Amino acid sequence: MPKIELLAPAGDLEKLKIAILYGADAVFIGGQEFSLRSRASNFTLADIKEACQFAHQHNAKVHVTCNIVMHNIDLEGLKEYLKELEQAGVYAIITSSLYMLKLAKSTTNLACHMSTQLSTLNEEGVKLFKTLGADRVVLGRELSLAEIIEIKKNTDIEIETFIHGGMCSSLSGRCMLSNNMTLRDANRGGCAHSCRWNYNLYQNAKKLNKDDDYFSFSAKDLEALKFIPSLIENNIDSLKIEGRMKSIHYVASITNAYRHLIDEYLKNGVIKDFNVYYNMIHKAENRLLGTGFYEHDPTIEEQLYDLNLSVPTKNFIGLVLSYDEENMICHIEQRNYFKSGDIVEVFTPEKTFNIKIEQLYDEDGNMIDVARHPKQKLYFKTDIKLSPYNMLRAL
């Protein structure tokens, strides 16, 4: 059965390490230049070099987003930047610029992936990018499963498609709502997500919604678990998770769910119980989920009109920093409230299991009953060896 790439988001170095440890074959990151998602903790060149070193140690690849809509001012320094990415160990750039594609192919050995910002929705567009030197096309999110399969069947280039994360209320990358309302240009990394704001809804000057019961017109997040077997069977090259601005727990949970699902299907040719993976997904702090365009054009069921229906789970309570094997003491960083005596779930890249936290200590060695301070460093004793980046969840 063909190998397929699981591509995960990484908004900073910690998220990159988490994504790779929890199952990503590749990660996509943003540099401090030429990248969308300007509010993400974008990578310096030194960060990118460290990211590539970590990725290569774990047989993973780093893709760098260079996908802004370019103005003349953006041309300066581009050639030098692309060469620096290559020297740092980057595998591919993700671009929406034909000029950047031409420049990268003529001056570097970087692979060039055409961004979803181009909203490529047909096979002729894919073929055109192939003739221009592209190595991969990231399809727009507005395609059905049947259309994705048909495009792959009729083209001779790597195809990447989104399988999880945020959906755009407009064609991906074509929205001007944020720009018009806030002067923050979505196509240059500044989207204010205006579709997810709270609005009063009027008809003929009469307000239709009750006070404090607002209207929004966001889409539900995409979730494509049940379509993964078909994507694998039809030789789709890369499955992409959206979410560079999401938490480390989200990145770990979503990446790990798809990793295990892919591995089960590659091993057995069948998924015994999809509910296992749905349960893994729902432990992350998701908005409500839908299938996007995979089955049909979105209906009212794929829209999220009430953002209050999506509440963070708060079940991520601690991140393992280290484990002292001689003294059997685990050092953690607290993320949400828990207390001594709690039975908690340990979430690792390979499995989950429960342990009881008998007693907590702060960094001064004082015994405490409750962990209530965000990112407080704490200790507890356990004879089960835990590893850095393992996570603790409340049951």
Side-chain angles (χ1 to χ4, degrees):
M1 202 168 286
K3 173 69 173 174
I4 194 165
E5 177 185 84
L6 179 60
L7 178 58
D12 57 34
L13 271 170
E14 182 181 46
K15 293 174 187 177
L16 178 139
K17 293 175 181 179
I18 289 286
I20 291 172
L21 291 173
Y22 280 80
D25 299 303
V27 292
F28 64 100
I29 67 176
Q32 293 188 329
E33 302 178 78
F34 310 108
S35 174
L36 294 180
R37 293 293 180 266
S38 61
R39 290 189 292 128
S41 301
N42 287 338
F43 288 62
T44 65
L45 282 168
D47 290 335
I48 292 173
K49 185 174 182 180
E50 182 178 345
C52 291
Q53 290 172 343
F54 183 88
H56 297 162
Q57 289 168 3
H58 294 82
N59 298 313
K61 296 176 180 177
V62 174
H63 306 173
V64 174
T65 57
C66 300
N67 52 353
I68 62 169
V69 174
M70 295 183 69
H71 293 215
N72 271 348
I73 194 173
D74 299 313
L75 299 176
E76 184 177 351
L78 176 58
K79 181 178 178 180
E80 293 74 19
Y81 181 68
L82 293 175
K83 288 186 174 182
E84 287 171 329
L85 293 182
E86 181 183 26
Q87 291 167 5
V90 170
Y91 173 73
I93 61 166
I94 306 168
T95 183
S96 61
S97 165
L98 296 182
Y99 171 70
M100 190 184 298
L101 167 65
K102 178 182 177 181
L103 185 64
K105 297 307 290 187
S106 63
T107 62
T108 76
N109 291 311
L110 292 167
C112 293
H113 300 170
M114 305 314 294
S115 172
T116 189
Q117 301 299 121
L118 290 163
S119 297
T120 306
L121 303 174
N122 62 78
E123 64 187 61
E124 293 303 327
V126 173
K127 291 175 182 176
L128 174 63
F129 291 133
K130 171 72 182 297
T131 67
L132 295 174
D135 299 284
R136 177 184 294 183
V137 175
V138 186
L139 297 178
R141 277 169 271 192
E142 297 78 26
L143 289 170
S144 68
L145 175 64
E147 289 173 315
I148 294 168
I149 292 171
E150 187 72 8
I151 288 172
K152 178 60 181 177
K153 177 182 176 182
N154 294 322
T155 57
D156 182 26
I157 188 173
E158 289 187 6
I159 294 295
E160 179 178 309
T161 189
F162 281 84
I163 57 168
H164 201 94
M167 295 287 285
C168 188
S169 291
S170 179
L171 280 172
S172 299
R174 305 297 179 93
C175 182
M176 295 298 292
L177 188 63
S178 172
N179 207 345
N180 281 301
M181 297 182 72
T182 69
L183 297 180
R184 286 172 52 179
D185 191 343
N187 292 294
R188 295 179 63 78
C191 183
H193 299 291
S194 304
C195 59
R196 295 176 186 159
W197 293 1
N198 290 327
Y199 292 92
N200 288 317
L201 188 62
Y202 290 87
Q203 184 176 32
N204 298 326
K206 179 182 178 182
K207 190 170 79 168
L208 301 180
N209 59 293
K210 298 177 182 178
D211 291 341
D212 300 323
D213 183 15
Y214 297 106
F215 172 81
S216 69
F217 49 100
S218 177
K220 290 180 179 177
D221 278 11
L222 173 64
E223 171 271 299
L225 285 168
K226 67 181 179 180
F227 306 110
I228 302 304
S230 292
L231 294 170
I232 294 174
E233 291 289 347
N234 286 281
N235 301 313
I236 303 304
D237 299 277
S238 182
L239 306 179
K240 188 170 194 170
I241 300 167
E242 183 276 339
R244 280 195 283 143
M245 295 173 65
K246 295 287 192 176
S247 71
I248 60 170
H249 181 242
Y250 177 94
V251 171
S253 299
I254 304 303
T255 302
N256 198 244
Y258 283 98
R259 173 78 277 148
H260 284 286
L261 188 151
I262 291 168
D263 288 349
E264 180 185 350
Y265 191 77
L266 291 176
K267 180 180 179 181
N268 301 323
V270 67
I271 300 299
K272 184 177 180 181
D273 184 4
F274 275 100
N275 286 325
V276 171
Y277 304 106
Y278 287 117
N279 290 336
M280 293 171 71
I281 291 289
H282 286 295
K283 289 183 179 181
E285 59 277 22
N286 289 287
R287 283 186 287 269
L288 294 186
L289 300 173
T291 55
F293 288 78
Y294 268 84
E295 292 183 294
H296 48 68
D297 286 348
T299 68
I300 190 172
E301 296 303 321
E302 284 72 45
Q303 301 306 306
L304 182 58
Y305 295 116
D306 186 355
L307 295 176
N308 293 323
L309 294 175
S310 296
V311 179
T313 62
K314 295 185 180 180
N315 66 348
F316 173 36
I317 58 174
L319 177 70
V320 175
L321 302 177
S322 63
Y323 181 78
D324 180 346
E325 291 190 57
E326 182 178 351
N327 297 299
M328 295 186 293
I329 294 175
C330 185
H331 186 199
I332 68 167
E333 183 178 82
Q334 186 264 16
R335 293 303 175 97
N336 275 297
Y337 174 96
F338 67 102
K339 60 185 184 300
S340 294
D342 282 353
I343 297 175
V344 304
E345 180 183 72
V346 179
F347 171 37
T348 80
E350 296 79 26
K351 59 185 178 180
T352 60
F353 54 90
N354 295 345
I355 63 171
K356 184 176 182 179
I357 297 180
E358 298 289 355
Q359 187 57 61
L360 284 169
Y361 299 87
D362 65 19
E363 289 200 299
D364 295 323
N366 300 312
M367 188 181 298
I368 63 171
D369 294 325
V370 177
R372 57 166 59 93
H373 303 296
K375 294 200 173 183
Q376 182 181 15
K377 305 299 191 299
L378 299 169
Y379 296 87
F380 65 90
K381 194 160 186 173
T382 175
D383 59 1
I384 299 175
K385 181 183 176 181
L386 303 181
S387 299
Y389 298 113
N390 288 173
M391 298 184 184
L392 305 181
R393 290 169 168 162
L395 292 174

